[in-house]
Amino acid sequence: MPENKSESKQTTVQHMAYEPYTVAMGPQHPATHGVLKLDLELDGETILECKPTVGFLHRGVEKLAENISYAQCLPLTDRLDYIAAMANNVAYSVAVETLLGIEVPLRAKYIRTMVMEMARLTGHLLWLATHALDIGAMTVFLYCFRERENLLDMFEEICGARLTTSYTCIGGVRQDVTGHFLESLHAFTDEFPSRIAEYETLIDKNRIWLQRTQGVGVVSAEDAVSLGLTGPTLRGSGVDYDVRKHMPYDAYPYVEFEVPIGSKGDVYDRYRCRMEEMHQSNSIIRQCIEALPPGPIRAEDAPDLVMPYGPQKVVEADATFSSGIIKLVEDRKRFIKGDVYVAAEVPKGELGFYFVSDGRGVPYRMHIRSPSYIHIGALPFLCKGQMVADVIAIIGSVDVVLGECDR
Amino acid sequence: MEILWILVKIIIVFAVVMLHVMYATYFERKVIGHMQVRMGPMRVGPHGILQPIADGLKLFFKEDIIPTVADKKVFYAAPLICLISALSAIAVLPFFEGFAIANINIGILYIFAMSSLASYGVVLAGWSSNSKYSFLGGLRSSAQVISYEIAMGLSLVGVMMMAGSLNLTDIVHAQMNSPFKVYLIPQIIGFFVFVVAMFAETNRTPFDLPEAESELVAGYCTEYSGMRFALFFMAEYIGMIVMSCLAVTCFLGGWSGPFEVPGIPFFWFLLKVYFFIFLYYWVRATLPRYRYDQLMALGWKVLIPLALFNIVLTGTIKSIFG
Amino acid sequence: MKIQYDTKKSLVERIFLLEIVKGLGLTLRRLFSKSVTIQYPKERKELFPGFRGKHALIRDPKTGTARCVACMRCASVCPARCISIRFTTDEKTGGRKLESYEIDALRCIFCGYCEEVCPVNAVVLTEDYEYSDYEREPFHFDMEALLNNWDKFVEKNKIDPERYLNPFLRPRGLALGELPAGKRMDVPEEWTLEGQVVWKDGKAVSAREAAAE
Amino acid sequence: MEPLEIAQKIRERFPDQVIQVEEHRGQVGVIVKKDRIVEMLRWLHDDPALQLNHLADLCGVDYLAKKDVRFEVVYNLYSIPLRHRIRIRAEVPEDDCRIDSVTSIWMGANWHERECYDLLGITFDGHPDLRRILLPEGWEGHPLRKDYPLDGGGKRWSGYEEVVEKSKRLRQHDFYGMYQDPTKKAGLEDARE
């Protein structure tokens, strides 16, 4: 590199001495999946050390949640993993319902399971798209988006938004499904396995793909558990842990599916895990459509969106209503003191909500255990000794979203 | 008089090549677009036919940003080195019977020399930008181009042995007189090695490491903007055209075809070149990218031994039958 | 379920790059297939009812102004606090009179809670999504702008303002008893609790039909 | 194993450490003292009958004026092979706001603890790299504490001031007089002066 001229003349000898080459990868970089920054120390192209920096997208969701009611927190969860917002909605609702002890009607359970698996498909499709694009197979990217588009259209049909869905509510779902939705989704499930075969034609056995993924970013089962990895990233290492099986929620106890588990724990195994999961999700969606029972879609004892309040509370109409709401919901008997940790399996892994309730209608403390945060924390471990191009493959394979990581 | 004729030829070839470069970009976006079930450029003109002109205008009028810490002189020179050496290589290509700007006896060597020079442009661009990504891109490029040059050179040795000449026109003539009419069949190994090396030499997918956008942002041209960036772009496309022409000349019988097309002596040549350019796009739409070390391993452990084997095979066959 | 995969290739596959040739074959096939994209300004996607787009206050055909009764439910449920309402209270009757109704669309997160809680179907998110601008000002909708949005929406989509139906004004699948009086509208049978769809014999049928058979 | 049984085992093993056991919706939280937390968690992690090898979540809670001891660090543990869970809540008083790090047991605890330090200001002794993580270096205060106001208390982060200064400097490069200062419109101070 050309240095400052006067300096380079004087210090030629010192410059010969070995020093690692540092590269700041991100926060503006095509392949860090958002605003992730990695400080890489390189020896040639080999990574000596990788230090992730996060927080560029920190919006203080947890602090915000302490000041708004449970129902109002729900749209915030759309913005965690904005790729599969539906799954976050379901995870959040399940957590709040556990806290409040609400039993959800069966139809709502099935609908939620259905949309959660659809969200898993959208998440995995976007993961495959970007992962393949990072490794250079750009056609897979657009093929995946073709199917993802169909799923987003269906989301739009049932809830009026494509990404920030806010579809569930505490105690059920906000809208019932329509016949057109069911029919198009059923047609989609018929079509989808052949689409997966299409992606696999391009990459699955391709020698370049295999060379780029096999034996890269290997993490053993013990290390994976110790690092706190979850979801397909953990299962690629051969650990059988899936929240849907271990702590079933919604309609997962009633549907049949298998949890794909890898063996070596490299990028290729994680890739295979997610591809198999797409098949499983497709089958779950189908089972949910066919078993969808009639009945109510919201629990009778579910709290309303707006808590009842008296007119005296709204004096200054322009003011923010935080104090008003907090006072109002104190009257409700439903909210009792206690804490719960409830997790759900979202596309990225285990999304857990830890709630502390002090008996008011707002969470006293809401902590989001976001899988992406933990996965990025594991990147230094995974990247050590790999090459620059592998870092991209590894980031792709652990599947991170910075909206969820930074919260 | 002869100089005037050469000048006219240069102008004609330059204009034709530049037009091809322009529409190669358009063609690439269309082909890849349709392969990816989308449309490609559709806005400027019917089906986006004027898109290359719009792109050119935009790049021409863009602000020319030069990093303050860049080595200015080298930074200016790098894209020019790329473009000029890529353009110079066209001089020796025979487009049809009797039409080559310079029909020199060492045509193949000249093309090699020019394409190696083009890689210096890339290396210097990476170095002078004073950006870490550019530097890595330049490093990759130097390693890659130099090792693939060898494989490419060796893959053409078989052709040279069969034709007994380094003159490209003579090679085409020799092919027309050979039993298969093209060297593709007797030199199939050489052809395979040449095609792979051709992709690597022009930095195209799956060997586009110097500018691998997912790792190095844009590699060696990260810091370039506007017209200077366009020069790199043009050099890359001219490089593709030159390599396609070389492949056509050395393996597919140049301008010769199954029958004469009256009035268009370069018909078959263009058709074959278009096929190779299409192949470039086709492969780009299909394959992932290699990693740096795997690329080197492929070059040194597979392609060079294959090319050497091809030379031995050709020599043996030639000494037995010829 | 342990994943079974076999990435070993036979000699023929290795020499002739069969998997790459297959991939090339796929992309070549797709070269001639129909593209799935639409040319946006010329073609527009048809949106489903209930798309959460530009805000509007429904103009009541009877009174010619907004239906809003200043109950403040929307303002208090709004997670982004982008709605601000001013009203005056009549000393004698205790009735409220709306003075101003403002929505800051740049703060809005389009969750649709406001239209869901509105007891009189006054506020709505219309299916209009094309309202970009260079300034911030036009996104601060006051009451006039919101009513104008509604007029434009009605005009553009040629809808009957009396019969306008949005799944958030009357959520699908809720029993009639759960809805306030203002929300008990005439809806397609599919939207009611009795007529909700289930899957039977390869197509979606209403639950009532399915039970009858 | 049932969560209450686990709690009983913990009580037997560390009788002087356990303060209280709470159950809510079938989930059991064991409130413990912070002194021997690493020892206790290591035992929970290694004991063959428990094998709580998955640290699902680690977070801090601020019980300002709700409890005698202000902070709690909450460990949500899960056993992947045995499929049971338990919650350990270690009390951390405000005047001695530190607790031992569990990074030696779970590598994944590293970032959890950094986040807890960043947002609640609880120091983890023995942590390899205890820095702020979600907030920038130089941020004042710990936002998730209950006495930290929602709007930040009107204070501005020093880095923000630097950015403002820098943008002011950069705005002096007025290209062809075409540049319109957006701060003028928004009623902010005129940057060029």
Side-chain angles (χ1 to χ4, degrees), chain A residues 1-2 21-26 29-31 42 44-45 134-139 142-143 146 202 206 208-209 211-212 216 387 389-390 392, chain B residues 32 35-38 69 71 127-128 130-133 135-136 140 205-206 213-217 284-294:
Chain A
M1 318 269 315
Y21 190 65
T22 55
V23 174
M25 190 183 257
H29 189 278
L42 302 180
E45 289 226 358
D134 289 347
I135 295 185
M138 74 196 252
T139 301
L142 286 132
Y143 289 176
R146 179 183 57 189
L202 284 172
N206 189 307
I208 305 177
W209 181 268
Q211 284 186 26
R212 285 297 303 276
V216 172
M387 301 188 85
D390 292 335
I392 302 302
Chain B
I32 292 183
M35 280 177 172
Q36 295 169 344
V37 293
R38 59 194 172 91
V69 286
D71 191 336
W127 184 82
S128 67
N130 206 349
S131 150
K132 306 215 169 185
Y133 291 119
F135 188 58
L136 281 177
R140 283 180 175 191
T205 320
E213 82 274 352
S214 62
E215 302 141 40
L216 300 185
V217 189
R284 182 175 169 210
T286 311
L287 291 188
R289 184 183 303 119
Y290 267 111
R291 199 171 69 201
Y292 176 60
D293 58 328
Q294 292 161 349

Coordinates of all heavy atoms in Angstrom, one line a residue, chain A residues 1-2 21-26 29-31 42 44-45 134-139 142-143 146 202 206 208-209 211-212 216 387 389-390 392, chain B residues 32 35-38 69 71 127-128 130-133 135-136 140 205-206 213-217 284-294:
Chain A
M1 N 0.8 -1.2 0.0 CA 0.0 0.0 0.0 C 0.9 1.2 0.0 O 1.9 1.3 0.7 CB -0.9 0.1 1.3 CG -1.5 -1.2 1.7 SD -3.1 -1.5 1.0 CE -3.9 0.0 1.2
P2 N 0.5 2.2 -0.8 CA 1.3 3.4 -0.8 C 1.1 4.2 0.6 O 0.0 4.4 1.0 CB 0.8 4.2 -1.9 CG -0.6 3.7 -2.1 CD -0.6 2.3 -1.7
Y21 N -2.8 -7.9 8.8 CA -3.5 -7.0 7.9 C -4.9 -6.9 8.5 O -5.6 -7.9 8.6 CB -3.5 -7.5 6.5 CG -4.0 -6.6 5.4 CD1 -3.3 -5.5 5.1 CD2 -5.1 -7.0 4.7 CE1 -3.7 -4.7 4.1 CE2 -5.5 -6.2 3.6 CZ -4.8 -5.0 3.4 OH -5.2 -4.2 2.3
T22 N -5.4 -5.7 8.8 CA -6.7 -5.7 9.4 C -7.7 -5.1 8.4 O -7.4 -4.1 7.7 CB -6.8 -4.8 10.7 OG1 -6.2 -3.5 10.3 CG2 -6.0 -5.4 11.8
V23 N -8.8 -5.7 8.3 CA -9.9 -5.3 7.4 C -11.1 -5.1 8.2 O -11.5 -6.0 9.0 CB -10.1 -6.3 6.3 CG1 -11.3 -5.9 5.4 CG2 -8.9 -6.5 5.4
A24 N -11.8 -3.9 8.0 CA -13.1 -3.7 8.7 C -14.1 -4.1 7.7 O -14.4 -3.4 6.7 CB -13.2 -2.3 9.1
M25 N -14.7 -5.3 7.9 CA -15.7 -5.7 7.0 C -17.1 -5.3 7.5 O -17.5 -5.7 8.5 CB -15.7 -7.3 6.9 CG -16.5 -7.9 5.8 SD -16.4 -9.6 5.8 CE -15.3 -10.0 4.5
G26 N -17.7 -4.4 6.8 CA -19.0 -3.8 7.3 C -18.8 -2.5 8.0 O -17.6 -2.1 8.0
H29 N -21.5 -3.5 3.8 CA -20.8 -4.5 3.0 C -21.9 -5.4 2.4 O -22.9 -5.6 3.0 CB -19.9 -5.3 3.9 CG -19.0 -6.3 3.2 ND1 -19.5 -7.5 2.8 CD2 -17.7 -6.2 2.8 CE1 -18.5 -8.1 2.2 NE2 -17.4 -7.4 2.2
P30 N -21.7 -5.8 1.2 CA -22.8 -6.5 0.5 C -23.2 -7.9 1.2 O -24.2 -8.3 0.9 CB -22.2 -6.8 -0.9 CG -21.0 -6.1 -1.0 CD -20.5 -5.6 0.3
A31 N -22.3 -8.4 1.9 CA -22.6 -9.8 2.4 C -22.6 -10.0 3.9 O -22.6 -11.1 4.4 CB -21.5 -10.8 1.8
L42 N -6.0 -10.4 9.3 CA -5.7 -11.4 8.3 C -4.2 -11.6 8.2 O -3.4 -10.8 8.5 CB -6.1 -10.8 6.9 CG -7.5 -10.5 6.7 CD1 -7.7 -10.0 5.3 CD2 -8.4 -11.7 7.0
G44 N -2.3 -13.0 5.1 CA -2.7 -13.3 3.7 C -4.2 -13.2 3.6 O -4.8 -12.2 3.8
E45 N -4.8 -14.4 3.3 CA -6.3 -14.4 3.3 C -6.8 -15.2 4.5 O -8.0 -15.4 4.6 CB -6.9 -14.9 2.0 CG -6.6 -14.0 0.9 CD -7.9 -13.8 0.0 OE1 -8.9 -14.5 0.3 OE2 -7.8 -13.0 -0.9
D134 N -24.0 -15.1 -1.8 CA -22.7 -14.8 -1.2 C -21.7 -15.7 -1.8 O -20.5 -15.3 -1.9 CB -22.8 -15.0 0.3 CG -23.6 -14.0 1.0 OD1 -23.9 -13.0 0.3 OD2 -23.9 -14.1 2.2
I135 N -22.1 -17.0 -2.0 CA -21.1 -17.9 -2.6 C -21.0 -17.7 -4.1 O -20.1 -18.3 -4.7 CB -21.4 -19.3 -2.1 CG1 -21.3 -19.4 -0.6 CG2 -20.5 -20.4 -2.7 CD1 -21.4 -20.7 0.1
G136 N -21.9 -17.0 -4.7 CA -21.7 -16.6 -6.1 C -22.8 -17.2 -7.0 O -22.8 -16.8 -8.2
A137 N -23.7 -18.0 -6.5 CA -24.7 -18.6 -7.4 C -25.9 -17.6 -7.4 O -26.8 -17.7 -6.5 CB -25.1 -20.0 -6.9
M138 N -25.9 -16.7 -8.3 CA -26.9 -15.7 -8.2 C -28.3 -16.1 -8.8 O -29.2 -15.4 -8.4 CB -26.4 -14.4 -8.9 CG -26.4 -14.4 -10.4 SD -25.4 -13.1 -11.0 CE -26.6 -12.0 -11.7
T139 N -28.3 -17.1 -9.5 CA -29.6 -17.5 -10.1 C -30.5 -18.1 -9.0 O -31.7 -17.8 -8.9 CB -29.5 -18.5 -11.2 OG1 -28.6 -17.9 -12.2 CG2 -30.8 -18.9 -11.8
L142 N -32.7 -15.5 -7.3 CA -34.0 -15.0 -7.8 C -35.0 -16.1 -7.9 O -36.2 -15.8 -7.7 CB -33.7 -14.4 -9.2 CG -33.0 -13.1 -9.0 CD1 -31.8 -12.9 -9.9 CD2 -34.0 -12.0 -9.2
Y143 N -34.5 -17.4 -8.0 CA -35.5 -18.5 -7.9 C -36.2 -18.5 -6.6 O -37.4 -18.7 -6.4 CB -34.9 -19.8 -8.3 CG -34.5 -20.0 -9.7 CD1 -33.8 -21.1 -10.2 CD2 -34.8 -19.0 -10.7 CE1 -33.5 -21.3 -11.5 CE2 -34.4 -19.1 -12.0 CZ -33.8 -20.3 -12.4 OH -33.4 -20.4 -13.7
R146 N -38.7 -15.8 -6.2 CA -40.0 -16.1 -6.9 C -41.0 -16.8 -5.9 O -42.1 -16.4 -5.8 CB -39.6 -17.0 -8.1 CG -40.7 -17.4 -8.9 CD -40.2 -18.4 -10.0 NE -39.5 -19.5 -9.4 CZ -38.8 -20.4 -10.1 NH1 -38.7 -20.3 -11.4 NH2 -38.3 -21.4 -9.5
L202 N -29.1 -26.7 -9.1 CA -28.1 -25.7 -9.3 C -26.9 -25.8 -8.3 O -25.8 -25.5 -8.7 CB -28.7 -24.3 -9.2 CG -29.5 -23.9 -10.4 CD1 -30.2 -22.6 -10.1 CD2 -28.6 -23.7 -11.6
N206 N -23.2 -29.5 -6.9 CA -22.2 -28.8 -7.7 C -20.8 -28.8 -7.0 O -20.7 -28.5 -5.8 CB -22.7 -27.3 -7.8 CG -21.8 -26.5 -8.7 OD1 -20.6 -26.5 -8.6 ND2 -22.5 -25.9 -9.7
I208 N -18.3 -26.9 -7.1 CA -17.8 -25.7 -6.5 C -18.5 -25.4 -5.2 O -17.9 -25.1 -4.2 CB -18.0 -24.5 -7.5 CG1 -17.4 -24.8 -8.8 CG2 -17.4 -23.2 -6.9 CD1 -17.6 -23.8 -9.9
W209 N -19.8 -25.7 -5.2 CA -20.6 -25.5 -3.9 C -20.0 -26.4 -2.8 O -19.9 -26.0 -1.7 CB -22.0 -25.7 -4.2 CG -22.9 -25.6 -3.1 CD1 -23.3 -26.5 -2.2 CD2 -23.5 -24.3 -2.6 NE1 -24.1 -26.0 -1.2 CE2 -24.3 -24.6 -1.5 CE3 -23.5 -23.0 -3.1 CZ2 -25.0 -23.7 -0.8 CZ3 -24.2 -22.1 -2.4 CH2 -24.9 -22.4 -1.3
Q211 N -17.1 -27.7 -2.5 CA -15.8 -27.3 -2.1 C -15.9 -26.1 -1.2 O -15.1 -25.9 -0.2 CB -14.9 -26.9 -3.3 CG -14.4 -28.1 -4.0 CD -13.4 -27.7 -5.1 OE1 -12.7 -26.7 -5.0 NE2 -13.3 -28.6 -6.1
R212 N -16.8 -25.2 -1.5 CA -16.9 -24.0 -0.7 C -17.6 -24.3 0.7 O -17.4 -23.5 1.6 CB -17.8 -22.9 -1.4 CG -17.1 -22.3 -2.6 CD -15.9 -21.5 -2.1 NE -16.2 -20.5 -1.1 CZ -16.7 -19.3 -1.4 NH1 -16.8 -18.9 -2.6 NH2 -16.9 -18.4 -0.4
V216 N -16.0 -26.4 6.1 CA -15.8 -25.0 6.4 C -16.7 -24.7 7.6 O -17.9 -25.1 7.7 CB -16.2 -24.1 5.2 CG1 -16.2 -22.7 5.6 CG2 -15.3 -24.4 4.0
M387 N -10.7 -18.7 5.7 CA -10.3 -17.6 4.8 C -11.4 -16.6 4.6 O -12.5 -16.8 5.1 CB -10.0 -18.3 3.4 CG -8.9 -19.3 3.5 SD -8.3 -19.8 2.0 CE -7.2 -18.6 1.5
A389 N -13.1 -15.6 2.1 CA -14.3 -16.1 1.4 C -15.2 -17.0 2.3 O -16.4 -17.0 2.2 CB -13.9 -16.8 0.2
D390 N -14.5 -17.7 3.2 CA -15.3 -18.6 4.1 C -16.1 -17.8 5.1 O -17.2 -18.3 5.6 CB -14.3 -19.5 4.9 CG -13.7 -20.5 4.0 OD1 -14.3 -20.8 2.9 OD2 -12.6 -21.0 4.3
I392 N -17.8 -15.3 4.7 CA -19.0 -15.0 4.0 C -19.9 -16.2 4.0 O -21.1 -16.1 4.4 CB -18.8 -14.5 2.6 CG1 -17.9 -13.3 2.6 CG2 -20.1 -14.2 1.9 CD1 -18.4 -12.1 3.3
Chain B
I32 N -29.0 -13.1 -18.6 CA -29.1 -13.5 -17.2 C -30.4 -13.2 -16.6 O -31.0 -14.0 -15.9 CB -27.9 -12.8 -16.4 CG1 -26.6 -13.4 -17.0 CG2 -28.1 -13.1 -15.0 CD1 -25.4 -12.9 -16.2
M35 N -32.8 -15.9 -17.8 CA -32.4 -17.2 -17.1 C -32.9 -17.1 -15.7 O -33.2 -18.2 -15.1 CB -30.9 -17.4 -17.1 CG -30.5 -17.9 -18.4 SD -28.7 -18.1 -18.4 CE -28.5 -19.0 -20.0
Q36 N -33.0 -16.0 -15.1 CA -33.5 -15.8 -13.7 C -35.0 -15.4 -13.7 O -35.4 -14.7 -12.7 CB -32.6 -14.8 -13.0 CG -31.2 -15.3 -12.9 CD -30.3 -14.2 -12.4 OE1 -30.6 -13.0 -12.4 NE2 -29.1 -14.6 -11.9
V37 N -35.7 -15.8 -14.6 CA -37.1 -15.6 -14.8 C -37.5 -14.1 -14.5 O -38.5 -13.8 -13.9 CB -38.0 -16.5 -13.9 CG1 -37.9 -17.9 -14.5 CG2 -37.6 -16.5 -12.5
R38 N -36.7 -13.2 -14.9 CA -37.1 -11.8 -14.9 C -36.8 -11.2 -16.3 O -36.4 -11.9 -17.2 CB -36.4 -11.0 -13.8 CG -34.9 -11.1 -13.9 CD -34.2 -10.7 -12.6 NE -32.8 -10.9 -12.7 CZ -31.9 -10.1 -13.1 NH1 -32.3 -8.9 -13.5 NH2 -30.6 -10.4 -13.2
V69 N -5.9 9.6 -0.4 CA -4.7 8.8 -0.1 C -4.2 7.9 -1.2 O -3.2 7.2 -1.1 CB -4.9 8.0 1.2 CG1 -4.9 8.9 2.4 CG2 -6.1 7.2 1.1
D71 N -2.4 6.7 -4.7 CA -1.3 7.1 -5.5 C -1.8 7.6 -6.8 O -2.1 6.8 -7.7 CB -0.4 5.9 -5.6 CG 1.0 6.2 -6.2 OD1 1.1 7.3 -6.8 OD2 1.9 5.5 -5.9
W127 N -3.5 -1.8 -6.0 CA -2.4 -1.2 -5.1 C -2.6 0.3 -4.9 O -2.5 0.8 -3.8 CB -1.1 -1.5 -5.7 CG 0.1 -1.1 -4.9 CD1 0.6 -1.8 -3.8 CD2 0.8 0.1 -4.9 NE1 1.6 -1.1 -3.2 CE2 1.7 0.1 -3.9 CE3 0.7 1.2 -5.8 CZ2 2.6 1.1 -3.7 CZ3 1.6 2.3 -5.6 CH2 2.5 2.2 -4.6
S128 N -2.9 1.0 -6.0 CA -2.8 2.4 -5.9 C -4.1 3.0 -5.2 O -4.0 4.1 -4.7 CB -2.7 3.0 -7.3 OG -3.9 2.8 -8.0
N130 N -5.2 2.3 -2.4 CA -5.0 2.5 -1.0 C -6.2 2.1 -0.2 O -6.5 2.7 0.8 CB -4.5 3.9 -0.6 CG -3.7 3.9 0.7 OD1 -3.6 2.9 1.4 ND2 -3.0 5.0 0.9
S131 N -6.9 1.1 -0.6 CA -8.0 0.6 0.1 C -7.8 -0.9 0.3 O -7.2 -1.6 -0.5 CB -9.3 0.8 -0.8 OG -10.2 -0.2 -0.5
K132 N -8.3 -1.4 1.5 CA -7.9 -2.7 1.8 C -8.5 -3.8 0.9 O -7.9 -4.8 0.5 CB -8.3 -3.0 3.3 CG -7.7 -1.9 4.2 CD -7.3 -2.5 5.5 CE -6.4 -1.4 6.2 NZ -5.9 -1.8 7.4
Y133 N -9.8 -3.5 0.6 CA -10.5 -4.4 -0.3 C -9.8 -4.4 -1.7 O -9.6 -5.5 -2.3 CB -11.9 -4.1 -0.5 CG -12.7 -4.3 0.8 CD1 -13.4 -3.3 1.4 CD2 -12.8 -5.6 1.3 CE1 -14.1 -3.5 2.6 CE2 -13.6 -5.8 2.4 CZ -14.2 -4.7 3.1 OH -14.9 -4.9 4.2
F135 N -6.8 -3.8 -2.4 CA -5.5 -4.4 -2.3 C -5.6 -5.9 -2.3 O -4.9 -6.6 -3.1 CB -4.9 -4.0 -1.0 CG -3.4 -4.4 -0.8 CD1 -2.5 -4.0 -1.8 CD2 -3.1 -5.2 0.2 CE1 -1.2 -4.4 -1.6 CE2 -1.7 -5.6 0.4 CZ -0.8 -5.2 -0.6
L136 N -6.6 -6.4 -1.6 CA -6.8 -7.9 -1.6 C -7.2 -8.3 -3.0 O -6.7 -9.4 -3.5 CB -7.9 -8.3 -0.6 CG -7.5 -8.4 0.8 CD1 -8.7 -8.7 1.7 CD2 -6.4 -9.4 1.0
R140 N -5.2 -11.0 -5.3 CA -5.8 -12.2 -5.9 C -5.6 -12.2 -7.4 O -5.3 -13.3 -7.9 CB -7.3 -12.1 -5.6 CG -7.7 -12.5 -4.2 CD -9.1 -12.5 -4.1 NE -9.6 -13.0 -2.8 CZ -10.8 -13.2 -2.4 NH1 -11.8 -13.0 -3.3 NH2 -11.2 -13.7 -1.3
T205 N -17.1 -15.2 -13.6 CA -17.6 -16.3 -12.8 C -17.3 -17.6 -13.5 O -17.4 -17.7 -14.7 CB -19.2 -16.2 -12.7 OG1 -19.5 -14.8 -12.5 CG2 -19.7 -16.9 -11.5
P206 N -16.9 -18.6 -12.8 CA -16.8 -18.8 -11.4 C -15.4 -18.4 -10.8 O -15.0 -18.7 -9.7 CB -17.0 -20.3 -11.2 CG -16.5 -20.9 -12.4 CD -16.7 -19.9 -13.5
E213 N -17.9 -9.7 -5.4 CA -18.6 -8.6 -4.8 C -19.1 -9.0 -3.4 O -19.3 -8.1 -2.6 CB -19.7 -8.0 -5.6 CG -21.0 -8.8 -5.6 CD -21.0 -10.0 -6.6 OE1 -20.0 -10.0 -7.4 OE2 -21.9 -10.8 -6.6
S214 N -19.2 -10.3 -3.1 CA -19.8 -10.6 -1.8 C -18.7 -10.6 -0.8 O -19.0 -10.5 0.4 CB -20.5 -12.0 -1.9 OG -19.6 -13.0 -2.2
E215 N -17.4 -10.7 -1.2 CA -16.4 -10.7 -0.2 C -15.6 -9.4 -0.2 O -15.4 -8.7 0.9 CB -15.3 -11.8 -0.4 CG -15.9 -13.2 -0.5 CD -15.3 -14.0 -1.6 OE1 -14.1 -13.9 -1.8 OE2 -16.0 -14.8 -2.2
L216 N -15.2 -8.9 -1.4 CA -14.4 -7.8 -1.4 C -15.1 -6.5 -2.0 O -14.4 -5.7 -2.5 CB -13.2 -8.1 -2.4 CG -12.3 -9.2 -1.9 CD1 -11.1 -9.4 -2.9 CD2 -11.8 -9.0 -0.5
V217 N -16.4 -6.5 -1.8 CA -17.2 -5.4 -2.3 C -17.1 -5.2 -3.8 O -18.0 -5.7 -4.5 CB -16.8 -4.1 -1.6 CG1 -17.8 -3.0 -1.9 CG2 -16.7 -4.2 -0.1
R284 N -22.1 -17.7 -15.9 CA -22.2 -16.8 -14.8 C -23.6 -17.0 -14.1 O -23.7 -16.8 -12.9 CB -22.1 -15.4 -15.3 CG -22.2 -14.4 -14.2 CD -22.0 -13.0 -14.6 NE -22.4 -12.1 -13.5 CZ -22.8 -10.9 -13.6 NH1 -22.9 -10.3 -14.8 NH2 -23.1 -10.2 -12.6
A285 N -24.6 -17.3 -14.9 CA -25.9 -17.4 -14.3 C -26.0 -18.8 -13.5 O -27.0 -18.9 -12.8 CB -27.0 -17.4 -15.4
T286 N -25.1 -19.7 -13.7 CA -25.3 -21.0 -13.2 C -24.4 -21.3 -12.0 O -24.8 -21.9 -11.0 CB -25.1 -22.1 -14.3 OG1 -25.8 -21.7 -15.4 CG2 -25.5 -23.4 -13.8
L287 N -23.1 -20.9 -12.1 CA -22.2 -21.5 -11.1 C -21.9 -20.5 -10.0 O -21.9 -19.3 -10.1 CB -20.9 -21.7 -11.9 CG -20.9 -22.9 -12.9 CD1 -19.5 -23.2 -13.4 CD2 -21.5 -24.1 -12.3
P288 N -21.6 -21.1 -8.8 CA -21.1 -20.3 -7.7 C -19.6 -20.0 -7.9 O -19.0 -20.4 -8.9 CB -21.2 -21.3 -6.5 CG -21.9 -22.5 -6.9 CD -21.8 -22.5 -8.4
R289 N -19.0 -19.3 -7.0 CA -17.7 -18.8 -7.1 C -16.7 -19.6 -6.3 O -17.0 -20.1 -5.3 CB -17.6 -17.3 -6.6 CG -16.3 -16.6 -6.7 CD -16.4 -15.3 -6.1 NE -17.5 -14.5 -6.7 CZ -18.5 -14.0 -6.0 NH1 -18.6 -14.2 -4.7 NH2 -19.4 -13.3 -6.6
Y290 N -15.5 -19.8 -6.9 CA -14.5 -20.6 -6.2 C -13.9 -19.7 -5.1 O -14.0 -18.5 -5.1 CB -13.3 -20.9 -7.2 CG -13.5 -22.3 -7.8 CD1 -13.8 -22.5 -9.1 CD2 -13.4 -23.4 -7.0 CE1 -14.0 -23.7 -9.7 CE2 -13.5 -24.7 -7.5 CZ -13.8 -24.8 -8.9 OH -14.0 -26.1 -9.4
R291 N -13.2 -20.4 -4.2 CA -12.4 -19.7 -3.2 C -11.0 -19.6 -3.7 O -10.6 -20.4 -4.6 CB -12.4 -20.5 -1.9 CG -12.1 -19.7 -0.7 CD -12.3 -20.6 0.6 NE -11.4 -21.7 0.6 CZ -11.6 -22.8 1.3 NH1 -12.7 -22.9 2.0 NH2 -10.7 -23.8 1.4
Y292 N -10.3 -18.6 -3.2 CA -9.0 -18.3 -3.7 C -8.0 -19.5 -3.8 O -7.4 -19.8 -4.8 CB -8.4 -17.2 -2.7 CG -7.0 -16.7 -2.9 CD1 -6.7 -16.2 -4.1 CD2 -6.1 -16.9 -1.9 CE1 -5.4 -15.7 -4.3 CE2 -4.8 -16.4 -2.1 CZ -4.5 -15.8 -3.3 OH -3.2 -15.4 -3.4
D293 N -7.9 -20.2 -2.6 CA -7.0 -21.3 -2.6 C -7.4 -22.5 -3.5 O -6.6 -23.2 -4.1 CB -6.7 -21.8 -1.2 CG -8.0 -22.3 -0.5 OD1 -9.0 -21.7 -0.9 OD2 -8.0 -23.2 0.3
Q294 N -8.8 -22.7 -3.6 CA -9.3 -23.7 -4.5 C -9.0 -23.4 -5.9 O -8.7 -24.3 -6.7 CB -10.8 -23.9 -4.2 CG -11.1 -24.4 -2.9 CD -12.5 -24.2 -2.5 OE1 -13.2 -23.4 -3.1 NE2 -12.9 -24.8 -1.4

